[in-house]
């Protein structure tokens, strides 16, 4: 099948491969396509089809309301063209993707367990490719119908990239009955090959912003928060700034990340770790904080939360709780950087 031409209302256009989605092809072409999750969960990539045919990869996507469907709105991240198209997409409010995402072949080099249900999967890409701390990629897992989004936990080591051995690491939480996570936890062995499409995401580290940082990780949100912390440590910026890392879970078994943070220069001084659990067991020997991650994070930031740059990732209810408590505390929206894991 050949490529198709996608025409926007302002006269610009781009080419979309017969197996690519509108959102990702537009980003690959350098356009500022609106998107967030790439998984049918957020609705940021909604658009109107003016003419042509598309295949909808996720017809029941939770991001589309009945009203959206009645009005003919669709999701760019789930739309694969079947002809040339004319579309109405609002590309004004967002920035073009950096670095430009690509589909690359990758080989699993190893795994290690981080908690009872989070495992790190390390992939070597066939071609070196950069990403920013905090970004994510889509993994096309053999035997799983559609790609799944996972955030990188490492940083794109420039030396590594230069010699072609650049690795992308992912920390993935096993979801009971989840199709992708069951495939990875039960069948992924070193040597396994798959396609990684990325990088994506706007919740990346802003190295040049001279504020202290708070990272808040819920469950598998640990992965991009470790990448942010590693990026800060590698940049040398922690000589002048502090990074507080809050990891929230239900029980002590859900808490991870301290070992990886301890390996960073500045741990214990400019980098501090604040584990918090919401369901303490009676008579447990837990000595960390008890409460929800957003409350603990605000308490750790002290009296002036708006003096901090905030990064957070995890399940949508946790992300919503962090966002609303920070907004109530007067932190400007442009200091909030987050991904919701639909
Ligand atoms: C930006 C982002 C970053 C993420 N980063 C991480 C991470 O670092 N670590 C981590 O553990 N998890 C992460 N997730 C969650 C991850 O992508 C998966 O949702 C999770 O692993 C469960 O996948 P599963 O296939 O095992 O479960 P399933 O229940 O089988 O599928 C879960 C998800 O797959 C998608 N889906 C389901 N059906 C369809 C369909 N028919 N068509 C298209 N899509 C469908 C939906 O988004 C659904 O929520 C992230 C999610 C997003 C959006």
């Amino acid at each position: 099948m050949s490529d198709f031409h996608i025409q926007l209302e302002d006269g610009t256009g781009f080419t979309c491969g017969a197996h690519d989605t509108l959102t990702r092809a537009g980003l690959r072409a350098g356009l500022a396509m609106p998107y967030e999750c790439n998984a049918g969960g957020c609705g940021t990539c909604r658009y109107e089809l003016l003419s042509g045919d598309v295949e909808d990869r996720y017809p029941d996507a939770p991001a589309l309301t009945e009203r959206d469907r009645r009005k003919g709105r669709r999701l760019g991240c789930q739309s694969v063209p079947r002809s040339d198209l004319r579309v109405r997409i609002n590309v004004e409010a967002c920035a073009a993707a950096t670095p430009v995402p690509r589909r690359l072949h990758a080989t699993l080099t190893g795994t290690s367990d981080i908690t009872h249900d989070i495992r790190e999967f390390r992939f070597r890409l066939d071609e070196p490719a950069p990403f920013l701390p905090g970004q994510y990629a889509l993994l096309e897992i053999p035997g799983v119908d559609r790609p799944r989004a996972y955030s990188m936990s490492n940083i794109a080591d420039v030396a590594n990239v230069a010699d072609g051995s650049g690795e992308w690491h992912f920390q993935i939480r096993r979801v009971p009955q989840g199709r992708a996570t069951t495939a990875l936890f039960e069948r992924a062995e070193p040597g396994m090959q798959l396609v990684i499409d990325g990088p994506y995401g706007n919740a990346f580290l802003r190295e040049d912003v001279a504020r202290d940082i708070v990272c808040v990780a819920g469950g598998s949100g640990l992965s991009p928060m470790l990448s942010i912390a590693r990026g800060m440590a590698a940049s040398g910026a922690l000589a002048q700034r502090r990074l507080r890392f809050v990891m929230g879970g239900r029980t002590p078994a859900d808490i991870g990340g301290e070992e990886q943070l301890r390996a960073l220069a500045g741990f214990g001084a400019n980098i501090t770790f604040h584990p918090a659990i919401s369901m303490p067991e009676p008579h447990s020997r837990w000595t960390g904080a008890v409460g929800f991650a957003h409350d603990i994070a605000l308490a750790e930031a002290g009296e002036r939360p708006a003096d901090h740059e905030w990064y957070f990732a995890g399940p949508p209810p946790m992300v919503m709780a962090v966002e609303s408590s920070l907004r109530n505390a007067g932190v400007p929206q442009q200091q909030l950087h987050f991904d919701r894991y639909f």
Side-chain angles (χ1 to χ4, degrees):
M1 262 194 279
S2 59
D3 294 347
F4 296 111
H5 182 71
I6 316 299
Q7 180 78 48
L8 307 184
E9 278 189 306
D10 65 3
T12 56
F14 60 93
T15 299
C16 184
H19 298 288
D20 212 351
T21 64
L22 285 196
T23 299
R24 303 204 270 278
L27 292 169
R28 290 185 224 288
L31 292 182
M33 303 293 281
Y35 80 103
E36 182 191 328
C37 76
N38 247 317
C42 72
T44 310
C45 62
R46 267 190 299 252
Y47 75 99
E48 282 176 60
L49 181 63
L50 303 176
S51 69
D53 292 325
V54 298
E55 176 196 325
D56 187 349
R57 281 192 173 169
Y58 193 1
D60 319 321
L64 282 182
T65 61
E66 271 318 307
R67 187 159 183 270
D68 286 328
R69 291 193 166 89
R70 271 201 313 278
K71 292 195 154 241
R73 293 189 188 125
R74 296 158 187 268
L75 295 177
C77 75
Q78 302 299 330
S79 292
V80 177
R82 289 287 162 256
S83 70
D84 290 345
L85 307 177
R86 274 197 325 114
V87 295
R88 180 174 293 145
I89 297 180
N90 177 12
V91 289
E92 285 161 31
C94 39
T98 350
V100 170
R102 290 194 293 154
R103 289 180 76 248
L104 296 162
H105 290 273
T107 306
L108 184 66
T109 58
T111 63
S112 32
D113 287 340
I114 304 293
T115 68
H116 68 109
D117 65 355
I118 299 178
R119 183 172 295 168
E120 181 171 278
F121 295 82
R122 297 183 288 277
F123 289 92
R124 194 186 61 243
L125 301 183
D126 280 3
E127 277 179 56
F131 64 86
L132 301 173
Q135 288 192 303
Y136 69 90
L138 298 169
L139 270 56
E140 300 178 11
I141 300 158
V144 177
D145 52 354
R146 269 162 278 266
R148 296 289 190 269
Y150 294 106
S151 305
M152 284 71 86
S153 61
N154 63 328
I155 51 175
D157 182 329
V158 177
N160 242 356
V161 167
D163 74 7
S165 64
E167 291 206 349
W168 291 20
H169 299 174
F170 303 90
Q171 291 181 354
I172 298 180
R173 191 179 145 260
R174 184 171 196 159
V175 173
Q177 277 91 49
R179 284 157 288 173
T181 51
T182 301
L184 284 170
F185 277 73
E186 292 187 356
R187 298 199 290 279
E189 298 285 345
M192 169 202 194
Q193 301 203 325
L194 49 66
V195 169
I196 290 182
D197 181 0
Y200 294 100
N202 294 314
F204 52 78
L205 175 64
R206 272 68 174 173
E207 258 179 37
D208 47 348
V209 176
R211 289 191 193 93
D212 286 351
I213 286 181
V214 185
C215 292
V216 190
S220 49
L222 180 61
S223 199
M225 295 303 104
L226 281 176
S227 181
I228 296 276
R230 288 167 162 155
M232 275 299 286
S235 74
L238 284 173
Q240 292 86 34
R241 282 184 261 165
R242 271 203 67 173
L243 186 147
R244 295 170 176 85
F245 195 107
V246 177
M247 167 81 204
R250 268 181 295 204
T251 70
D254 297 327
I255 302 297
E258 183 170 0
E259 191 187 325
Q260 290 79 10
L261 290 172
R262 277 187 182 279
L264 300 180
F267 183 84
N270 286 351
I271 302 176
T272 48
F273 182 64
H274 309 273
I277 58 166
S278 57
M279 287 174 43
E281 282 170 6
H283 316 300
S284 87
R285 279 182 287 161
W286 176 251
T287 54
V290 173
F292 288 112
H294 58 278
D295 293 328
I296 306 301
L298 263 177
E300 289 300 336
E303 299 203 333
R304 300 173 69 95
D307 287 353
H308 296 72
E309 205 71 10
W310 291 81
Y311 296 88
F312 42 107
M318 174 242 154
V319 168
M320 275 166 60
V322 179
E323 187 186 13
S324 74
S325 60
L326 293 178
R327 286 169 74 161
N328 291 340
V331 183
Q333 191 70 32
Q334 66 270 22
Q335 287 169 228
L336 310 183
H337 313 284
F338 57 89
D339 275 324
R340 295 173 287 175
Y341 286 5
F342 295 100

